[in-house]
Amino acid sequence: MNIRNYNIYFNTHTISGIIICALLYIIFFAGSFSFFKHEIRAWQHGVSYEANKDAEKDFDFLLDSLRQTHDLKGRDITFYLQPHSLGASVNMSVSKDTTVTKPQQAPPEGQRPGRRGGDATFFYYDFHQEKASTYAESYDMGEFLYRLHFLAQLNQVPINIGAPFGYALAGLVSFLFLFALITGLLLHWDKIVSNFFVFRPWSKWKTVWTDMHTALGVIGFPFQFIFALTGIILIVNWVLVTPLSKYLYDGKQQELYQDLGFSDGTTYEYLYKPIDQDFSMQPYLAELEQKWEGAEFSRIFIKNYGDESMHLIVHAKPNPKLNFSGEGKAVYRIQDNMLVYEKDPHTASSYKDKVSSIIYHLHFGDFGGYPVKITFFILGIMGCMVIISGILIWLVARDKKNVPKHKRVFNFWASNVFIAICLTMLPVTALTFIAVKVYPEVNQAFIYSVYFYSWLALSVFYVIRRNLRATNMETLLSGAILGLCIPVVNGLYGGNWIWKTFATGETDILFFDLLWIAISVVAIIAFLKIQRDGAKRKGFNR
């Protein structure tokens, strides 16, 4: 490689990497835990999906409960069903019937108001406990880490850039990460085979970090490339949607999303003719379960409840083992119980189905059970190690006598801040998992307070301390100790001891306890190795 190309790749890789390193670490760390979002929910609430997945979801009981508190006539009701979950998010619109009184009232604290005002409502319903709660009340650590991995919490920042600030920032990080990946591969292309097999753990620290950065970077490149690309598509799809909707749909984005199949905005004219029958969802759902064996319902829509124009629309996702890219849809006209449209999830796959399914499955790792999830988790944590080693390489390369002192001071403080923010995520995450199990009433505000305040306090402490080696060792040790406490706390406060969850088949809860034990053991081994090496050679201190 000629020197000009080398310098271009090197500078592009270094600059793009160092700009996004802290945010990218947050995305990788939180995203790695997000592969186990449903296990986290089961663990936190102490209710196993695996042990209760055969229990029937009684939608009729839920509708009966809603009829006790709301006049459902003329409403559209939507159920959003998450995979591997015992609950559903429910969105209920205002009535289309102008004869129905629509009270103007503020929603309960923590609940989102209806988009059209009135008594429209949104809530989460747990079929196992037969309990409704607001979004804030049902918020858990799985949802928190999942949303943190695309920086959704930053959407509250009052910066208007035409899109939510957190999403836009995560999209920008994904773009820059893609540049860093490609330029990093080109940078090492000539020696990619020889460097891949070189690892010198007993050399000076810069050599260790360089070997780690190169080897893990090459191993994880396909995984990281897939995540950067699919992340860009999932997070910043508005970049593509905006011009398409503007020039092809006269600015009507909802119509574009409907044609693409991402939303079901189908409307039916309200006839003001009450339907002369009691409505029950279960027979329709039972029929589809039998027809689409192996598929899982994802969204259910009730249009114009109680009117002759009432329709039931059911969307379903197939088991990836049976059909990797299908999506099912059935439309029932309730007045005469007629199935007016059906798309089998196991046999019918459009081009859009194939593309969107590949993107979603590759990004979320939900197509191969625990082997794929564990592999993706390990590769995600490897990405975190690549980021940390990259920061240290960048610092050491610029910590030379020929570099002006003010630049060396700046470089150290930048690295010190980045390392403190990144490495404290391990003990903070473990601490928050303990807190949500110990505290009796957990909601969104509680999780935010515990996680962000403890993260801020620890980060400031290690920034002020100015000792990178101590930051590394102490966050590993504290994270390991807190991580080992997680299964104990689960047993003491939830009664879900490891031997109990194993005996009762609550594999999702059991797995999460075992995951933290494995993480803690690895962290202790790393701590002991760093401590032992520190006695043999000079550590990196300031």
Side-chain angles (χ1 to χ4, degrees):
M1 182 185 300
N2 64 60
I3 191 66
R4 180 176 179 274
N5 287 343
Y6 181 88
N7 288 334
I8 291 173
Y9 298 149
F10 179 81
N11 291 328
T12 304
H13 180 75
T14 303
I15 293 171
S16 59
I18 206 67
I19 289 174
I20 64 173
C21 61
L23 289 176
L24 188 61
Y25 185 97
I26 293 170
I27 290 172
F28 264 96
F29 187 90
S32 297
F33 277 94
S34 296
F35 292 125
F36 309 112
K37 177 183 178 182
H38 306 299
E39 286 79 5
I40 292 173
R41 182 174 187 85
W43 181 90
Q44 181 174 328
H45 295 282
V47 180
S48 170
Y49 168 80
E50 294 298 331
N52 297 279
K53 60 183 178 182
D54 294 330
E56 185 175 340
K57 295 179 179 178
D58 195 342
F59 288 91
D60 290 336
F61 179 82
L62 173 55
L63 287 175
D64 287 339
S65 300
L66 289 175
R67 278 192 287 264
Q68 303 298 320
T69 55
H70 298 79
D71 188 345
L72 301 186
K73 186 193 304 182
R75 293 179 184 269
D76 291 344
I77 305 174
T78 305
F79 305 92
Y80 299 97
L81 305 169
Q82 294 294 327
H84 307 291
S85 173
L86 297 173
S89 298
V90 183
N91 186 37
M92 190 166 58
S93 73
V94 295
S95 177
K96 298 175 184 176
D97 194 321
T98 57
T99 65
V100 174
T101 303
K102 303 176 181 64
Q104 298 292 330
Q105 58 184 10
E109 184 180 356
Q111 180 172 315
R112 297 190 303 183
R115 293 182 181 179
R116 290 170 288 181
D119 59 346
T121 187
F122 177 91
F123 62 93
Y124 179 82
Y125 184 77
D126 188 320
F127 287 98
H128 180 77
Q129 298 180 342
E130 298 182 347
K131 177 183 176 183
S133 57
T134 65
Y135 175 76
E137 292 170 344
S138 63
Y139 202 81
D140 55 43
M141 279 295 291
E143 180 74 3
F144 173 80
L145 291 170
Y146 169 70
R147 296 184 66 80
L148 182 62
H149 105 275
F150 51 86
L151 309 180
Q153 286 83 354
L154 293 179
N155 289 343
Q156 304 302 318
V157 176
I159 298 178
N160 186 9
I161 55 176
F165 177 73
Y167 297 161
L169 184 59
L172 177 62
V173 170
S174 298
F175 270 116
L176 293 176
F177 180 46
L178 199 58
F179 276 107
L181 281 174
I182 295 172
T183 53
L185 186 66
L186 293 173
L187 190 64
H188 296 287
W189 186 258
D190 291 342
K191 296 182 179 180
I192 194 168
V193 174
S194 59
N195 286 353
F196 178 79
F197 291 100
V198 174
F199 188 67
R200 295 157 287 184
W202 309 116
S203 300
K204 58 184 179 180
W205 278 113
K206 183 188 175 184
T207 303
V208 174
W209 298 326
T210 302
D211 291 346
M212 180 188 299
H213 189 77
T214 304
L216 295 184
V218 172
I219 293 172
F221 177 84
F223 168 84
Q224 293 162 8
F225 182 84
I226 288 172
F227 266 72
L229 187 61
T230 56
I232 291 170
I233 296 172
L234 292 172
I235 296 173
V236 293
N237 58 71
W238 53 272
V239 175
L240 303 175
V241 168
T242 299
L244 284 174
S245 62
K246 181 177 181 180
Y247 294 107
L248 299 180
Y249 287 80
D250 297 324
K252 300 175 182 177
Q253 289 190 9
Q254 189 61 35
E255 292 184 7
L256 173 60
Y257 281 121
Q258 186 171 338
D259 286 347
L260 289 174
F262 292 118
S263 65
D264 198 321
T266 307
T267 59
Y268 300 94
E269 181 183 359
Y270 191 74
L271 302 177
Y272 289 90
K273 296 179 180 179
I275 197 168
D276 188 22
Q277 60 175 281
D278 293 330
F279 172 66
S280 173
M281 289 177 61
Q282 294 305 127
Y284 300 102
L285 299 182
E287 178 183 345
L288 292 177
E289 284 179 346
Q290 185 175 7
K291 280 185 176 182
W292 300 345
E293 186 177 359
E296 190 171 3
F297 299 139
S298 58
R299 292 170 293 166
I300 301 174
F301 302 86
I302 299 176
K303 304 285 187 177
N304 299 348
Y305 188 93
D307 188 69
E308 285 189 0
S309 60
M310 181 178 177
H311 285 70
L312 176 68
I313 305 173
V314 181
H315 291 254
K317 296 287 186 181
N319 187 326
K321 296 179 181 178
L322 302 177
N323 188 356
F324 194 76
S325 61
E327 182 175 9
K329 180 179 179 180
V331 181
Y332 287 95
R333 188 170 58 226
I334 303 304
Q335 181 186 7
D336 53 6
N337 300 322
M338 178 68 68
L339 178 62
V340 297
Y341 176 83
E342 181 181 7
K343 178 185 175 185
D344 194 312
H346 297 309
T347 58
S349 295
S350 65
Y351 175 76
K352 187 277 300 180
D353 292 336
K354 291 182 172 64
V355 173
S356 62
S357 294
I358 289 173
I359 292 171
Y360 273 84
H361 286 317
L362 289 179
H363 193 82
F364 295 108
D366 60 353
F367 56 89
Y370 282 125
V372 171
K373 286 185 177 183
I374 294 171
T375 302
F376 276 29
F377 177 83
I378 294 172
L379 290 170
I381 297 302
M382 283 170 52
C384 294
M385 297 171 65
V386 170
I387 294 167
I388 294 299
S389 59
I391 295 173
L392 296 174
I393 293 170
W394 177 84
L395 174 61
V396 173
R398 286 154 182 77
D399 188 31
K400 298 177 181 178
K401 292 182 179 180
N402 62 335
V403 177
K405 183 178 179 180
H406 69 279
K407 290 186 177 181
R408 282 187 288 158
V409 171
F410 172 81
N411 293 338
F412 171 76
W413 276 102
S415 301
N416 186 34
V417 171
F418 290 157
I419 292 294
I421 292 173
C422 295
L423 295 186
T424 52
M425 284 193 75
L426 177 61
V428 166
T429 303
L431 175 66
T432 310
F433 273 113
I434 293 173
V436 298
K437 204 67 180 179
V438 172
Y439 196 72
E441 295 183 8
V442 176
N443 54 27
Q444 185 178 16
F446 176 80
I447 293 175
Y448 275 29
S449 297
V450 174
Y451 199 97
F452 288 127
Y453 284 133
S454 59
W455 193 7
L456 176 63
L458 273 180
S459 298
V460 170
F461 170 76
Y462 283 114
V463 167
I464 294 174
R465 191 171 181 184
R466 298 182 300 168
N467 188 322
L468 301 187
R469 187 169 183 272
T471 301
N472 188 16
M473 292 184 62
E474 291 174 11
T475 53
L476 281 173
L477 182 60
S478 59
I481 293 172
L482 290 171
L484 290 174
C485 291
I486 287 176
V488 177
V489 170
N490 189 29
L492 291 174
Y493 288 86
N496 292 314
W497 296 100
I498 289 177
W499 53 86
K500 176 180 176 294
T501 53
F502 175 78
T504 56
E506 297 174 321
T507 54
D508 40 7
I509 299 177
L510 170 65
F511 175 84
F512 193 67
D513 282 334
L514 295 178
L515 175 67
W516 269 107
I517 292 174
I519 292 172
S520 301
V521 170
V522 172
I524 290 173
I525 293 172
F527 168 80
L528 293 175
K529 177 174 175 53
I530 295 172
Q531 187 180 49
R532 184 175 61 251
D533 290 350
K536 298 179 180 179
R537 56 189 173 183
K538 184 179 178 181
F540 190 78
N541 293 312
R542 287 295 177 120

